[in-house]
Amino acid sequence: NKFVSIEVINVPSHTRGSVVYALRNRVAPDIALTLSESTEAMGPLQCHLFTGDAIFSGGGGVPFESDLERASDNFIKNPKNLQSKNGSSKIRPGAGALAMERCFAEVLARANGPWSSETARNSIYSMIYPGHEYTTDLIMRQFDQKNIPGDLRWVHLPPSTFFEAASHYYVSAHRRALAQKTKLLTIPLPLQKEQIFNPTFRSLKRRGEQLI
């Protein structure tokens, strides 16, 4: 309708059929109105991302059916390796981390939707709505350095990132530890904040910095 639009974003990783639904308030793709005019007419630019099991706050769904492969998993040249690793399945078992990063990057890029102007992109209010609330468990795992690749450990990140994650953990733990019937949800969460808490988003950021 003229008020909202829905986009289905394909994110094959947790399962091959995984999708993210992006619900946006509808504004002309080229942002013909100035920001103040569009805000007055339609409200702030909003994108609500219903991520299911693809993206959680603090992590993502286990990539059971990832669709990318590492160089060491070249099953075209060595088809016997596939059978020895995973029976008769065609799923690439070594592709998990790469597939997750690709899907996270897709969601990050598509969160802006059709809004093309720089002013619009900088004013979009994006929220993520995961299918499950695993926030405290996923954040806690990040404090065990064995779970984090060497180049993404806390010593290589700004102190502010560590303290933001620690704060998010304690707030989430407090909300979930309240008395029965008074517990508070830890989600939804602004996408901008999730890029700090989520190790996959942090990995994407680091790759981009290395590329630049």
Side-chain angles (χ1 to χ4, degrees):
N1 59 47
K2 66 179 181 179
F3 300 108
V4 297
S5 66
I6 299 176
E7 180 183 8
V8 181
I9 304 172
N10 188 33
V11 287
S13 180
H14 178 65
T15 65
R16 291 196 169 187
S18 292
V19 296
V20 169
Y21 293 98
L23 176 67
R24 306 184 184 93
N25 58 340
R26 190 181 291 278
V27 179
D30 58 356
I31 306 296
L33 299 174
T34 65
L35 183 61
S36 60
E37 289 173 334
S38 65
T39 300
E40 182 178 350
M42 300 292 297
L45 305 179
Q46 299 176 39
C47 180
H48 301 275
L49 299 162
F50 297 87
T51 60
D53 287 356
I55 300 176
F56 301 130
S57 182
V62 175
F64 294 125
E65 298 181 354
S66 52
D67 65 342
L68 298 178
E69 61 184 71
R70 298 183 299 193
S72 59
D73 286 337
N74 192 333
F75 302 121
I76 297 176
K77 291 184 178 180
N78 303 293
K80 290 184 178 179
N81 290 349
L82 176 61
Q83 186 171 1
S84 63
K85 279 190 172 186
N86 209 26
S88 60
S89 174
K90 298 300 182 184
I91 295 170
R92 276 37 174 183
L98 294 178
M100 286 182 65
E101 287 192 8
R102 186 190 72 78
C103 292
F104 274 55
E106 185 78 12
V107 171
L108 197 59
R110 301 273 284 278
N112 291 335
W115 299 315
S116 56
S117 76
E118 188 67 28
T119 302
R121 284 199 301 270
N122 291 336
S123 62
I124 296 171
Y125 182 68
S126 298
M127 297 285 289
I128 67 164
Y129 299 76
H132 299 281
E133 188 171 8
Y134 299 145
T135 308
T136 51
D137 290 338
L138 291 172
I139 295 293
M140 175 58 79
R141 291 179 192 177
Q142 297 181 35
F143 295 106
D144 183 350
Q145 294 294 280
K146 292 182 296 184
N147 295 324
I148 301 176
D151 62 338
L152 290 174
R153 291 181 178 174
W154 297 116
V155 69
H156 299 297
L157 298 173
S160 59
T161 300
F162 173 85
F163 288 114
E164 285 275 9
S167 175
H168 185 47
Y169 169 77
Y170 282 113
V171 170
S172 301
H174 170 71
R175 289 183 174 188
R176 303 309 294 161
L178 294 173
Q180 196 69 21
K181 296 185 179 181
T182 64
K183 295 181 187 293
L184 298 174
L185 294 173
T186 64
I187 51 177
L189 195 74
L191 179 60
Q192 185 176 7
K193 285 187 172 292
E194 186 60 30
Q195 293 176 56
I196 300 173
F197 307 141
N198 199 303
T200 304
F201 279 130
R202 292 203 299 264
S203 178
L204 284 174
K205 183 175 184 291
R206 189 167 183 81
R207 288 179 188 275
E209 290 170 344
Q210 292 172 340
L211 181 63
I212 293 173

